[in-house]
Amino acid sequence: MSDPNTGYDVVILGSGSAGYACALRAAQLDLTVALIEKDKLGGTCLHTGCIPTKALLHAGEVADSARESAQFGVKAELTGIDMAGVNSYKDGVVAKLYKGLSGMINANKAITVIEGTGKLVGPNTIDVDGKQVTGRNIVLATGSYAKSLPGIDVDGKRIVTSEHALKLDALPESAIVLGGGVIGAEFASAWKSLGVDVTIVEALPRLLAAEDADSSKMLERAFRKRGIKFKTGKPFESVKATDTGVSLTIAGGDTLEADLLLVAVGRGPSTSGMGYEEQGVKMDRGFVLTDEYLQTNLPNVYAVGDIVPGVQLAHRGFGHGIFVAEHIAGLNPTPIDEAGIPRVTYTEPEVASVGLNEDKAREKYGDDAIKTYNYNLAGNGKSNILKTQGFVKLVSVKDGPVVGVHMVGSRMGEQIGEGQLIYNWEAFPSDVAQLIHMHPTQNEALGEAHLALAGKPLHAHA
C-alpha cells in the first residue's frame, strides 16, 4: 500500500523495539501496517542503547581477560586500547543487525514504511510532514530520550549523555558518572575495564536502587574491589567546565574533578510535540497512561514501550508490541505482568532479577509470609572456574510460589530466562527442585538454590 491516504489496519508512530515488534506481529496476523519513522528503523536500543552499549561492555571484558590472564596460567599482555578499533567493532555489530532488520521489514508486503516526522492530529490520523496517514488503530511508540537535570548544560564534549559517550573518539583519563542506575553503572563498568578512572555520584542511598538491597550491596563490593569509586546519598548541586575538564559539587560541599561528566540520570518519554495532549490523550509527567490492554483513553489508540510508565527495557517493548498486535487482531492475549519482565544490568559482575525484591515482597505479603534463601556462588563449580563471586537469592511465599529471583555474578544475566519461567508460572521451590540442572554450569546455581529452599540442599546449607 503505497498511498498513505488509503487507510491501514494499524498505524504505528515509531519503529523502535515496541513499534517494529508490533508491525511484524500485526503483519503475521494479516493486518495492513504503516510504520512511521523519522530516523532509522530499530530506534534507541539498536542504534544508541542496548546493542552498542553491550558491545562496549564486551570490549571491556576482553581487555579485562587480557589484563588478568596470568591467574589462568595464560601469558598475555594488554598494551592499550584502540578506541577506533573498539568503535569499528561496535558499529559493525549495529550495522549488521540494522541491515537484517531493515531487510526483514522492507520485504514484508503488509508493512509500509513511511519516513518522516509524525504527529497525532486525530483519533485515527497521523500527520507525517504534511501528509495524512489514517488507520483503524493507532499505536504510539515514540520511545525515550536521555534526560538531564536543571543546571547542567550538556555540550556533548565535556558534559555528555550516554548517546554522546558511545561516539567518543578517545577515552578520558578520568570520568564522573552522575547517576548510579543501570545506565550509569554499565558505563562505569565498561570505562573502568577500558582503563578510565571512574567515580559514580548517586543521590539515592545505594547503586541500582530499584534492585534488591542484597544485589546492590554485592555490586558495590565488587566495584570497590575493581577500583570504581562511588558516592551514594549525595545529590548533585552544581557543575562547571574547567580548563582541563569538569568540576562537580555534591551535597556536603565536596567537589570532584574529572576530564568528563556523563549525565546518566535516566530516560524521559519522547512525547513532547507529538500532539498527544492536544488530542486529549491522558498523560502523567510526559508518560502516556494506558489500561492493562495498553489502550489509551482514546478509542483504538494504544501506547507501547518507553512512553508507558514502567521499566524502560527493549524486551518490554517487544512484549508490548506483540501484545497490542494480538489484541487488535482479536486474539485476547493475557495482559503483561510488569513484575514478570526480567531485568539485567550488564556490569561486571552482572545483576539480574525478575519478580519482587525482598522489601516489595514483604510489603505485599507481610513479613511473616516471606521466606528467602541466598545461595553463594562460592559453592558453584563453573563460577569458581570463571573466578566470579555473587549469589542466587530466592524470595518466596512460605508454602507458596517463588515471587522473586535475584542474581549477581559474571554472566548471570544468561540465567534469568529460567528465572522468569519460575516466577511467571508461579512455581513452588519444590517444583524447581525436582528438575535436574546441568553440571558444571552457572545455571546449576538456580537448581541448588531451589533445592535448599525446598529443604533438601545438596552443595549448600539449608
Side-chain angles (χ1 to χ4, degrees), residues 31-311:
L31 300 172
T32 57
V33 180
L35 184 59
I36 301 166
E37 176 55 58
K38 66 180 179 180
D39 197 355
K40 292 182 177 180
L41 295 171
T44 295
C45 173
L46 177 55
H47 299 287
T48 58
C50 326
I51 299 301
T53 305
K54 277 54 182 178
L56 188 69
L57 281 156
H58 182 63
E61 182 183 2
V62 173
D64 283 335
S65 294
R67 192 181 285 117
E68 300 163 2
S69 63
Q71 63 180 312
F72 301 100
V74 177
K75 294 181 179 179
E77 185 180 357
L78 179 65
T79 58
I81 302 297
D82 173 15
M83 204 56 200
V86 170
N87 285 333
S88 176
Y89 150 68
K90 168 177 61 66
D91 295 344
V93 173
V94 172
K96 181 179 179 181
L97 291 172
Y98 174 57
K99 182 180 179 181
L101 176 64
S102 299
M104 182 189 304
I105 290 175
N106 288 319
N108 195 312
K109 294 180 180 178
I111 302 173
T112 299
V113 177
I114 301 174
E115 297 181 2
T117 301
K119 181 176 181 179
L120 183 68
V121 294
N124 68 338
T125 306
I126 301 290
D127 178 276
V128 184
D129 297 331
K131 295 181 180 180
Q132 308 291 296
V133 182
T134 60
R136 291 192 301 107
N137 300 276
I138 302 292
V139 180
L140 309 177
T142 43
S144 60
Y145 66 93
K147 290 197 301 185
S148 185
L149 293 173
I152 298 180
D153 181 18
V154 175
D155 59 16
K157 296 177 181 178
R158 292 181 179 176
I159 302 176
V160 303
T161 66
S162 58
E163 294 177 7
H164 301 119
L166 287 168
K167 298 175 183 176
L168 293 176
D169 294 328
L171 290 168
E173 287 188 15
S174 60
I176 300 167
V177 176
L178 184 59
V182 174
I183 297 171
E186 287 187 350
F187 269 97
S189 185
W191 280 349
K192 181 62 181 180
S193 295
L194 295 172
V196 180
D197 181 19
V198 183
T199 302
I200 303 171
V201 174
E202 171 56 54
L204 294 174
R206 53 188 173 90
L207 300 181
L208 299 186
E211 292 292 343
D212 190 87
D214 285 344
S215 296
S216 293
K217 192 181 301 181
M218 188 72 204
L219 181 69
E220 289 177 356
R221 188 180 304 141
F223 272 15
R224 284 192 196 95
K225 189 174 180 180
R226 292 183 58 197
I228 298 175
K229 298 180 286 293
F230 55 90
K231 294 181 179 294
T232 54
K234 296 288 184 180
F236 136 87
E237 289 189 347
S238 65
V239 62
K240 64 178 180 179
T242 67
D243 292 339
T244 56
V246 291
S247 176
L248 182 80
T249 302
I250 60 178
D254 291 342
T255 299
L256 308 175
E257 295 189 350
D259 297 330
L260 188 75
L261 172 67
L262 169 63
V263 182
V265 292
R267 298 187 65 82
S270 294
T271 55
S272 178
M274 303 289 182
Y276 300 167
E277 285 186 289
E278 292 90 330
Q279 293 304 314
V281 176
K282 284 188 178 178
M283 314 276 288
D284 180 24
R285 291 173 296 174
F287 288 96
V288 177
L289 301 179
T290 69
D291 62 14
E292 63 179 338
Y293 301 104
L294 298 172
Q295 294 173 305
T296 70
N297 58 303
L298 300 185
N300 302 315
V301 177
Y302 298 78
V304 292
D306 286 359
I307 63 173
V308 179
V311 289

